[in-house]
Amino acid sequence: MDRTTQLTIRRTGTTAPARTSGSPAPPGSHEITHSGAHVYDPDRPTGSLHLRAARVLEGNWTGTSTVPSHGLYPHQWSWDSAFIAIGLRHLSPLRAQTELETLLGAQWGDGRIPHIVFNPSVPLDAYFPSPDFWRSSTAGRAAGAPRTVQTSGIVQPPVHALAAWLVHQADPGLSRSRSFLSRMYPRLAAWHRYLLHRRDLGGGGLASVVHPWEQGMDNSPCWDAPLSRVTPAAPRSFRRADLDHGSAEDRPTDLDYGRYVRLATDYRDGGYADGAGEFAVEDPAFNALLIASEHALAAIAQELGAAGTARHARAERLTAALVERLWDPAEGMFFCRDVYGGDGGDGESYGGDGYGGDARDGGESGALGSERRSSESGALGSERRSSESGAHGSGRGSRSGALAPEQRSTESSAHASERRSRQSGAHTSEQRSRAGALIPERSVAGLLPLILPALPRDIAATLVRTAGGPHFGLGGVARLAPSYDLTGHAFDPHRYWRGPAWFNTNWLLERGLRLHGEHGRAEELRAALLETADTSGFAEYVDPYTGEACGALGFSWTAALTLDLLHEPARADQAERADRVDQSTHVVSHPGYRAFDSVHGTPPHTSHASHTTHTPHTPHSSFETGAKGGDRG
């Protein structure tokens, strides 16, 4: 039996994951049972999509983590590993846990999870920026960078809590026996605290990215205006290794790359302190993933014996802030906000002349910005500050003993770092209180808040219409949703994040559609994703019209998310929504823990024996996003 076949065999026995009655086995599989647990027969057709996806992940496995692609991306990337773990859980829950454990083992003392964990066996010239550029162990010493492993100093979208929760559900018995969640929870909590406190640079409650690579959609036209303020690094000061693996026509320009390098250099030379740079953008996808992961953290807390209600409440406040600061009702989607942009922070959006002639008709977002500028920044900030301390305190008091020791040991340094950051004038959100300006570029990031269960129904319905309209063409002219506006001035179907379709963003959209009751559209998108993964050779990204493969082939998150879709039964008959509103109290109510699983196409993989003593109730639910960096930093 070869290694790939071994990898596809599911665990059996009392701790094995079992599917709910009535849910079919993945397409092309043969179901057998052992000891009352359902497993999948590994004797699949040699060329099956499932087996080929498993072979991609096996080929990219290093022993402790999975590289996105051996040639172009030979290290471990943060949000890639989260998406990879979501797919790996269907093959080997233990390997999926190891994937996340390896990544979080490189977490910094201030709570940040670095976007790259470097493999010391890879030559320095194989990837740029390399470890000697980031100098994490020296430049990041004040921020608590680890000394035994080299990392980058920036972050990527926070999909990790969602991934950890889904991985746990794949085999709860194994997870509990290894104390997986009790070890992960304090690290994930510190990660969220870092984003909510250190990165609230606009003062409105949302996290800001300080480099385009952090948002994951590296080369998006959304960054063009904020980047225009940055003086590029001299071309001769760095060598682009990415051009050794891809066409220059499909990659970021030298000018853009020079600005990426300048931002990263200044951040490094400033000791990776937040709030002092020239680039700060509130992105809807990044924050939607943070909110979804807050819901997942609440579910994890409940599994460990705590209430989780404070985290659900925080997620709802963040959802309100997301709508308040980034939603444009006239355009029917969310936009990025340039925290340091506009004409003096008056809340106006960029005009057409300032943004390559791609002005949005009417400038309605300017009026909206003035409206939202009022007291939200201070009110949300003070509400969050007052409730955060109480939430953390009550959470520690109510959690079981299995959680408390890890939280105390891990959170002490994070809280100390947090206190230091609040004393720093460079960071203090209350001092900044910037309205900034909405960036009038339509990115797929503006559709991804569809993954949020507490999103108002009218906004969710509008996002669905926008996704199927002329700018994204989903279900019409486009096979998959493009990364950027099909009608936009900067659209290019092959250039990195300026038009091509990506599997992770479409996977998130599929979940969002299903979450909000659009089962037919979700099933169409699921079928298109599987077909495109099959015909493209699990490509990194594709032409949104034709599905033509672009970038690296045998790409890990494409293979991983393909596996997740294959294991997700069609749920056209599922009418439950996770965002029902109690009209009498105006409190969002949800069908609970199992709705989270079903909405996300994930059966509650628990054995009957193990689930009888743990019946957590999760009032809310959601899942992750992000996207991967093309230069990936």
Side-chain angles (χ1 to χ4, degrees):
M1 182 183 298
D2 63 27
R3 284 290 294 118
T4 304
T5 302
Q6 289 177 342
L7 184 62
T8 63
I9 296 178
R10 301 293 293 273
R11 291 170 52 90
T12 61
T14 57
T15 61
R19 290 184 294 103
T20 54
S21 59
S23 62
S29 70
H30 304 284
E31 186 179 27
I32 58 176
T33 60
H34 294 288
S35 304
H38 294 267
V39 297
Y40 299 122
D41 184 351
D43 185 20
R44 299 169 183 269
T46 304
S48 73
L49 187 60
H50 176 281
L51 193 56
R52 285 186 286 122
R55 283 175 174 160
V56 168
L57 295 180
E58 177 66 15
N60 289 340
W61 176 250
T62 67
T64 55
S65 64
T66 309
V67 299
S69 165
H70 275 294
L72 187 53
Y73 308 118
H75 302 287
Q76 183 180 25
W77 263 262
S78 173
W79 75 330
D80 289 72
S81 278
F83 287 120
I84 289 165
I86 289 170
L88 271 178
R89 68 195 168 114
H90 299 297
L91 303 178
S92 170
L94 177 59
R95 183 172 291 189
Q97 291 178 30
T98 302
E99 184 80 37
L100 295 174
E101 290 164 352
T102 300
L103 177 68
L104 268 66
Q107 186 174 24
W108 289 28
D110 64 1
R112 81 182 74 192
I113 298 175
H115 97 299
I116 302 176
V117 180
F118 289 106
N119 183 342
S121 67
V122 174
L124 289 178
D125 61 357
Y127 187 83
F128 179 85
S130 53
D132 57 343
F133 171 87
W134 294 104
R135 306 171 198 165
S136 61
S137 59
T138 54
R141 184 177 298 143
R147 297 186 179 184
T148 58
V149 62
Q150 294 296 310
T151 75
S152 66
I154 59 175
V155 303
Q156 276 191 322
V159 192
H160 311 90
L162 172 61
W165 177 239
L166 295 177
V167 167
H168 162 77
Q169 290 180 300
D171 193 335
L174 175 68
S175 174
R176 291 167 188 148
S177 71
R178 300 185 69 247
S179 301
F180 173 66
L181 289 183
S182 63
R183 288 184 291 110
M184 291 295 101
Y185 181 87
R187 292 182 175 276
L188 293 168
W191 166 222
H192 285 209
R193 278 196 307 278
Y194 168 78
L195 294 174
L196 291 168
H197 294 293
R198 297 285 295 276
R199 289 301 190 89
D200 182 10
L201 303 179
L206 300 181
S208 293
V209 296
V210 299
H211 195 291
W213 289 338
E214 291 198 314
Q215 192 268 357
M217 304 178 193
D218 305 355
N219 196 35
S220 171
C222 294
W223 319 135
D224 290 354
L227 280 175
S228 67
R229 298 191 295 266
V230 178
T231 302
R236 287 176 291 184
S237 65
F238 60 91
R239 189 189 78 81
R240 295 182 58 179
D242 64 312
L243 297 182
D244 295 340
H245 303 276
S247 169
E249 288 73 24
D250 294 343
R251 307 294 296 176
T253 65
D254 286 342
L255 177 62
D256 284 336
Y257 212 96
R259 285 170 169 152
Y260 300 155
V261 172
R262 171 66 66 188
L263 276 177
T265 301
D266 290 348
Y267 194 38
R268 177 199 67 198
D269 293 348
Y272 295 110
D274 294 308
E278 299 178 82
F279 185 98
V281 174
E282 294 172 354
D283 173 75
F286 190 100
N287 280 280
L289 290 173
L290 175 59
I291 296 166
S293 282
E294 269 292 302
H295 284 304
L297 263 187
I300 293 172
Q302 287 179 297
E303 164 68 21
L304 296 173
T309 52
R311 290 202 176 277
H312 285 314
R314 183 179 302 117
E316 290 192 4
R317 289 196 301 273
L318 288 170
T319 300
L322 184 74
V323 172
E324 184 68 20
R325 287 185 66 81
L326 305 185
W327 173 247
D328 189 329
E331 296 299 330
M333 66 180 299
F334 291 86
F335 288 90
C336 293
R337 179 172 290 276
D338 182 357
V339 173
Y340 303 153
D343 53 348
D346 64 354
E348 296 292 326
S349 64
Y350 284 100
D353 292 341
Y355 237 77
D358 191 37
R360 290 173 290 144
D361 298 335
E364 298 81 359
S365 61
L368 180 65
S370 301
E371 203 175 74
R372 60 171 64 116
R373 186 171 68 248
S374 56
S375 62
E376 180 63 19
S377 175
L380 252 179
S382 60
E383 177 190 17
R384 179 172 46 76
R385 287 191 299 276
S386 62
S387 62
E388 287 279 351
S389 58
H392 289 314
S394 61
R396 280 194 297 273
S398 62
R399 291 189 185 103
S400 65
L403 172 63
E406 288 86 350
Q407 186 168 14
R408 284 196 298 269
S409 62
T410 307
E411 291 186 350
S412 58
S413 61
H415 280 305
S417 177
E418 181 182 313
R419 286 193 298 271
R420 288 193 299 270
S421 72
R422 287 178 172 178
Q423 295 165 2
S424 167
H427 162 68
T428 307
S429 301
E430 295 81 355
Q431 292 178 359
R432 289 230 183 241
S433 231
R434 292 178 178 269
L438 292 182
I439 301 172
E441 298 287 6
R442 297 179 183 90
S443 160
V444 70
L447 303 178
L448 294 186
L450 198 61
I451 66 174
L452 299 178
L455 196 68
R457 292 187 184 191
D458 59 330
I459 291 180
T462 301
L463 284 177
V464 172
R465 290 195 296 271
T466 300
H471 298 293
F472 295 95
L474 189 61
V477 296
R479 178 176 295 193
L480 300 176
S483 52
Y484 176 68
D485 184 0
L486 295 170
T487 69
H489 70 97
F491 175 77
D492 185 329
H494 292 168
R495 191 179 284 276
Y496 215 72
W497 290 110
R498 299 179 85 85
W502 291 73
F503 285 84
N504 64 331
T505 55
N506 278 270
W507 180 85
L508 288 164
L509 281 176
E510 193 268 352
R511 264 78 186 151
L513 289 168
R514 205 174 294 279
L515 173 67
H516 291 283
E518 297 289 340
H519 304 295
R521 287 185 173 92
E523 192 57 32
E524 288 178 7
L525 180 53
R526 175 176 176 265
L529 279 163
L530 291 174
E531 179 185 3
T532 306
D534 189 7
T535 58
S536 71
F538 304 103
E540 181 180 5
Y541 53 98
V542 298
D543 184 306
Y545 292 117
T546 67
E548 175 190 349
C550 302
L553 300 183
F555 201 71
S556 288
W557 78 19
T558 303
L561 297 179
T562 295
L563 284 169
D564 192 62
L565 291 168
L566 285 172
H567 282 256
E568 171 194 275
R571 297 181 184 273
D573 60 342
Q574 180 183 317
E576 274 193 329
R577 295 229 8 231
D579 60 346
R580 295 182 300 190
V581 179
D582 184 332
Q583 298 297 331
S584 62
T585 62
H586 302 286
V587 174
V588 177
S589 61
H590 301 277
Y593 158 75
R594 294 195 179 276
F596 176 83
D597 302 325
S598 58
V599 162
H600 294 83
T602 307
H605 285 146
T606 56
S607 66
H608 297 295
S610 62
H611 191 64
T612 54
T613 56
H614 295 269
T615 54
H617 170 71
T618 303
H620 307 273
S621 60
S622 73
F623 50 80
E624 68 281 337
T625 157
K628 171 167 77 76
D631 307 295
R632 307 188 138 252

